[in-house]
Coordinates of all heavy atoms in Angstrom, one line a residue:
A22 N 185.7 69.5 93.1 CA 185.7 68.3 93.8 C 186.9 67.4 93.4 O 187.4 66.6 94.2 CB 184.4 67.6 93.7
I23 N 187.2 67.4 92.1 CA 188.2 66.5 91.5 C 189.6 66.8 92.3 O 190.2 65.9 92.7 CB 188.4 66.7 90.0 CG1 187.2 66.1 89.3 CG2 189.7 66.1 89.5 CD1 187.1 66.5 87.8
D24 N 189.9 68.1 92.4 CA 191.1 68.4 93.1 C 191.1 68.2 94.6 O 192.1 67.8 95.2 CB 191.5 69.9 92.7 CG 191.9 70.1 91.3 OD1 192.3 69.1 90.6 OD2 191.6 71.2 90.8
K25 N 190.0 68.4 95.2 CA 189.9 68.4 96.7 C 189.7 66.9 97.2 O 190.1 66.6 98.3 CB 188.8 69.3 97.2 CG 189.1 70.7 97.0 CD 190.2 71.1 98.0 CE 190.5 72.6 97.9 NZ 191.5 73.1 98.8
L26 N 189.0 66.1 96.4 CA 188.5 64.8 96.9 C 189.3 63.6 96.3 O 189.1 62.5 96.6 CB 187.1 64.6 96.6 CG 186.1 65.6 97.3 CD1 184.7 65.4 96.9 CD2 186.3 65.7 98.8
T27 N 190.3 63.9 95.4 CA 191.1 62.8 94.9 C 192.6 63.2 94.9 O 192.9 64.4 95.1 CB 190.7 62.5 93.4 OG1 190.9 63.7 92.6 CG2 189.2 62.1 93.3
S28 N 193.4 62.3 94.6 CA 194.9 62.6 94.6 C 195.4 62.7 93.1 O 195.1 61.9 92.3 CB 195.6 61.4 95.2 OG 197.0 61.5 95.0
A29 N 196.2 63.7 92.9 CA 196.8 64.0 91.6 C 197.9 62.9 91.4 O 198.3 62.8 90.2 CB 197.4 65.4 91.6
F30 N 198.4 62.2 92.4 CA 199.4 61.2 92.2 C 198.9 60.0 91.5 O 199.6 59.2 91.0 CB 200.0 60.8 93.5 CG 200.8 62.0 94.2 CD1 200.3 62.6 95.3 CD2 201.9 62.5 93.5 CE1 201.0 63.6 95.9 CE2 202.6 63.6 94.1 CZ 202.1 64.2 95.3
W31 N 197.5 59.8 91.5 CA 196.9 58.7 90.8 C 195.8 59.3 90.0 O 194.7 59.3 90.4 CB 196.4 57.6 91.8 CG 195.9 56.4 91.1 CD1 194.6 56.1 90.9 CD2 196.6 55.4 90.5 NE1 194.5 54.9 90.2 CE2 195.8 54.4 90.0 CE3 198.0 55.2 90.4 CZ2 196.2 53.3 89.3 CZ3 198.4 54.0 89.8 CH2 197.5 53.1 89.2
P32 N 196.2 59.7 88.7 CA 195.3 60.5 87.9 C 194.2 59.7 87.3 O 193.2 60.3 86.8 CB 196.2 61.1 86.9 CG 197.3 60.1 86.7 CD 197.5 59.6 88.1
F33 N 194.3 58.4 87.3 CA 193.3 57.6 86.5 C 191.9 57.5 87.3 O 191.9 57.2 88.4 CB 193.8 56.1 86.4 CG 195.2 56.1 85.8 CD1 196.3 55.8 86.6 CD2 195.4 56.4 84.5 CE1 197.6 55.8 86.1 CE2 196.7 56.4 83.9 CZ 197.8 56.2 84.7
G34 N 190.9 57.9 86.6 CA 189.6 57.8 87.1 C 189.3 58.9 88.2 O 188.4 58.7 89.0
R35 N 190.0 60.0 88.1 CA 189.8 61.0 89.2 C 188.4 61.6 89.1 O 187.8 61.8 90.2 CB 190.8 62.2 89.0 CG 192.2 61.9 89.4 CD 193.1 63.0 89.3 NE 192.9 64.0 90.4 CZ 193.3 65.2 90.4 NH1 193.8 65.7 89.3 NH2 193.1 66.0 91.4
R36 N 187.9 61.9 87.9 CA 186.5 62.4 87.8 C 185.5 61.5 88.4 O 184.6 61.9 89.2 CB 186.2 62.7 86.4 CG 184.8 63.3 86.2 CD 184.6 63.7 84.7 NE 185.3 64.9 84.4 CZ 184.8 66.1 84.5 NH1 183.7 66.3 85.1 NH2 185.6 67.2 84.2
K37 N 185.6 60.2 88.1 CA 184.6 59.2 88.6 C 184.7 59.1 90.1 O 183.7 59.1 90.8 CB 184.9 57.9 88.0 CG 183.9 56.8 88.3 CD 184.2 55.5 87.6 CE 183.2 54.5 87.9 NZ 183.5 53.2 87.2
R38 N 185.9 59.1 90.7 CA 186.1 59.0 92.1 C 185.6 60.2 92.8 O 184.9 60.2 93.9 CB 187.5 58.7 92.5 CG 188.0 57.3 92.3 CD 189.3 57.0 92.9 NE 190.3 58.0 92.9 CZ 191.2 58.2 91.9 NH1 191.1 57.4 90.8 NH2 192.1 59.1 91.9
A39 N 185.9 61.4 92.2 CA 185.4 62.7 92.8 C 183.9 62.7 92.8 O 183.3 63.1 93.8 CB 186.0 63.8 92.1
R40 N 183.3 62.3 91.7 CA 181.8 62.3 91.6 C 181.2 61.4 92.7 O 180.2 61.8 93.4 CB 181.3 61.9 90.2 CG 179.8 61.9 90.1 CD 179.3 61.6 88.7 NE 180.0 62.4 87.7 CZ 179.7 63.7 87.4 NH1 178.8 64.3 88.1 NH2 180.3 64.3 86.4
K41 N 181.8 60.2 92.8 CA 181.3 59.3 93.8 C 181.4 59.9 95.2 O 180.4 59.8 96.0 CB 182.0 58.0 93.8 CG 181.5 56.9 94.7 CD 182.3 55.6 94.6 CE 181.8 54.6 95.6 NZ 182.6 53.5 95.7

Side-chain angles (χ1 to χ4, degrees):
I23 291 171
D24 292 332
K25 291 289 183 177
L26 301 177
T27 62
S28 170
F30 295 113
W31 187 255
F33 309 105
R35 284 182 80 198
R36 178 175 288 273
K37 185 177 179 180
R38 284 194 318 274
R40 179 175 309 284
K41 181 179 178 189

